[in-house]
Amino acid sequence: MNLVYADEQGNVFDHPEWVGLGRSGDMVVELMEDELIPLPDGATLVGLPFTRPVGINPETGNMQVLPGNVQAVGALLPQGYTRLSIPGYVKSDKEQKLPLFGYSAVVWKDDNFYVAARRSDDPERWNPLNCDRSELELKVDSLLAKYPDNRLYQHLSHCALGYECLTASNTFLQRWEGAVPVSYSCNAGCFGCISEQPDDSGFPAPQTRMNFKPTVDEIVQIMLEHLQTPESIISFGQGCEGEPSTQAKIIVEAMRKVRETTSMGFININTNAGLTDHIRAIVDAGLDLMRVSTISALDDHYNAYYKPRGYTLKNVEKSLRYAADKGVYTSINYLIFPGVTDREEEMEAMIDFVKRTGLRLIQMRNLNIDPESYLELIPKAQGDIYGMKQMIEIFEQELPDVVIGSYTHVPPARVR
């Protein structure tokens, strides 16, 4: 498996002699054959700025930095794939931070690129290649013309065409899971927030957060346009907004108006679930699905990353338990990172958390972060590190009734 690297112009090469490596946390590690899959459709190769690739020099048999003006290369995976290793590299400038993406180790073998990853879900619905740009532009123009005063459609048109957000695109294509953002504020200060970063963070947010409070009518228009098939999902809580439950009042009113008109499809919320009273009101208004973001079931790790304001991990657990008891199909948006998520203490805490809350689905999501910044932020490992592949296998064994996937699904049977 040959080392993959890029030159200063971004051209990608494989080294004919050096062996490619990965990283687990801050440790450079060898990649195992059973961890590698061909580079999936929809994946993107990117250079890691201010890095140098690390591989095995066959002349010495040692791990070394590849000489020359070159940089490490990683793969950005589409939805449906869980990375098992980050690229093998060292920083050439330790003051610089990598852009907020989820980099996966990539090598060259058998005349093809391979990544250290596992297919954890059906990738077709979230394959960027399945979003036809011409069709999308026509649909955007059509709905903007139909609702010229709806600021949400205007906002989402930028998300779909500018950021190429697939959930926003689905809103216009009126298929699968669509977006309805509602909140410009948040009750957490996530270290890796993709829509809002403090000026001194060192890495800019890759997208802009919405800056207005939508009306109930604007929300209802989008929901009714989208909920037209039995498998349609409309979701509060997007990457372009804060915490949706801070706007519980307008969410509840919109949901009730929609359900007075149609029972079609599923209403979902992507939330941190810290505002338990607000979540209860949304659940009681007829919520079908709830996905809760978390990075850990350990308080010190969770607090370091999310910086919660006015809530704790215990509030999150109460919200999940309430929703599950009311028949909501619950899942977690589990932000995973090789060398951290697969720590012994993290695994034990998460398995217990899943059992206590009655979760139905774990969505494995590759954490978009600068690795060095993240590792400096969180607690050090206390026990063994098992490797991501073995961690997933342990989850499957310990949680046989819980689906291990990658994104929100329509439940196998309607649960309400």
Side-chain angles (χ1 to χ4, degrees):
M1 54 186 80
N2 296 359
L3 172 67
V4 174
Y5 65 97
D7 64 17
E8 291 178 301
Q9 288 73 45
N11 300 305
V12 176
F13 303 89
D14 71 288
H15 197 287
E17 298 173 351
W18 284 46
V19 177
L21 298 170
R23 267 181 53 174
S24 173
D26 57 4
M27 294 182 58
V28 177
V29 296
E30 294 188 42
L31 298 172
M32 301 293 105
E33 289 284 349
D34 63 357
E35 295 177 323
L36 298 174
I37 61 172
L39 185 71
D41 289 340
T44 305
L45 294 181
V46 295
L48 279 60
F50 310 107
T51 69
R52 299 282 297 280
V54 177
I56 295 179
N57 183 342
E59 293 183 1
T60 65
N62 296 327
M63 295 181 182
Q64 293 179 219
V65 174
L66 184 67
N69 294 324
V70 294
Q71 61 184 2
V73 169
L76 308 182
L77 301 175
Q79 290 282 31
Y81 292 90
T82 300
R83 67 175 171 183
L84 304 180
S85 176
I86 60 177
Y89 73 87
V90 295
K91 286 272 183 78
S92 57
D93 183 345
K94 297 185 185 302
E95 299 302 314
Q96 298 291 338
K97 294 180 171 64
L98 295 179
L100 296 177
F101 295 112
Y103 307 97
S104 300
V106 58
V107 295
W108 178 266
K109 78 182 195 80
D110 300 332
D111 296 322
N112 200 358
F113 290 109
Y114 278 71
V115 290
R118 165 191 169 118
R119 176 172 162 169
S120 51
D121 223 319
D122 181 358
E124 282 306 298
R125 287 197 171 186
W126 295 99
N127 186 337
L129 302 178
N130 291 334
C131 184
D132 183 88
R133 178 79 181 195
S134 299
E135 180 186 4
L136 176 61
E137 289 174 350
L138 290 173
K139 293 286 191 178
V140 168
D141 290 343
S142 174
L143 283 169
L144 289 180
K146 185 175 182 179
Y147 301 101
D149 298 324
N150 190 312
R151 295 167 299 165
L152 272 179
Y153 271 128
Q154 294 165 16
H155 171 79
L156 287 168
S157 69
H158 177 64
C159 297
L161 298 175
Y163 296 132
E164 299 183 347
C165 169
L166 291 178
T167 317
S169 298
N170 286 343
T171 307
F172 291 99
L173 295 170
Q174 296 176 305
R175 66 181 188 181
W176 310 330
E177 182 182 357
V180 55
V182 294
S183 177
Y184 54 86
S185 62
C186 196
N187 59 332
C190 300
F191 181 74
C193 181
I194 62 173
S195 68
E196 187 173 81
Q197 287 288 332
D199 293 337
D200 61 353
S201 68
F203 34 76
Q207 58 194 46
T208 303
R209 181 175 293 182
M210 68 184 300
N211 60 3
F212 63 94
K213 178 181 177 180
T215 65
V216 171
D217 287 343
E218 287 174 319
I219 297 169
V220 169
Q221 287 169 356
I222 290 181
M223 294 178 72
L224 288 177
E225 283 286 350
H226 196 76
L227 295 173
Q228 296 191 27
T229 66
E231 290 195 349
S232 57
I233 301 171
I234 194 72
S235 291
F236 302 104
Q238 303 300 314
C240 60
E241 67 174 308
E243 167 53 38
S245 68
T246 60
Q247 301 295 336
K249 183 177 180 181
I250 60 173
I251 287 177
V252 167
E253 188 175 346
M255 287 175 60
R256 286 176 174 160
K257 282 193 172 186
V258 166
R259 284 312 185 209
E260 288 172 0
T261 303
T262 181
S263 62
M264 192 73 75
F266 295 83
I267 299 174
N268 173 58
I269 188 169
N270 302 315
T271 172
N272 62 38
L275 301 175
T276 303
D277 290 344
H278 292 200
I279 293 297
R280 286 172 177 159
I282 294 169
V283 167
D284 292 345
L287 190 69
D288 298 298
L289 315 172
M290 184 168 80
R291 185 184 77 179
V292 174
S293 291
T294 189
I295 202 164
S296 175
L298 296 172
D299 288 286
D300 51 358
H301 184 181
Y302 183 93
N303 293 338
Y305 180 82
Y306 282 98
K307 299 178 176 62
R309 301 162 184 156
Y311 76 93
T312 68
L313 193 52
K314 185 58 70 175
N315 295 115
V316 176
E317 184 174 330
K318 288 179 180 178
S319 297
L320 275 166
R321 186 71 257 175
Y322 183 85
D325 289 344
K326 291 291 184 176
V328 174
Y329 189 88
T330 56
S331 65
I332 54 172
N333 183 59
Y334 194 18
L335 304 177
I336 59 171
F337 188 91
V340 175
T341 315
D342 49 342
R343 294 174 179 176
E344 182 177 13
E345 65 271 20
E346 293 283 349
M347 293 162 52
E348 290 177 351
M350 182 53 67
I351 289 169
D352 289 344
F353 181 85
V354 171
K355 290 178 177 178
R356 292 196 304 271
T357 55
L359 277 173
R360 307 284 294 279
L361 167 65
I362 298 175
Q363 299 182 35
M364 297 282 187
R365 305 299 283 268
N366 302 313
L367 177 63
N368 297 325
I369 202 71
D370 171 69
E372 283 74 19
S373 300
Y374 175 54
L375 293 169
E376 289 172 3
L377 176 78
I378 64 172
K380 303 299 181 186
Q382 301 299 311
D384 293 335
I385 298 175
Y386 280 69
M388 295 297 295
K389 183 175 181 292
Q390 187 171 357
M391 181 205 78
I392 295 172
E393 292 170 352
I394 290 171
F395 276 19
E396 290 173 335
Q397 180 179 352
E398 294 292 324
L399 304 167
D401 298 326
V402 178
V403 177
I404 308 295
S406 179
Y407 55 81
T408 297
H409 289 264
V410 170
R414 181 174 277 273
V415 294
R416 294 189 65 80

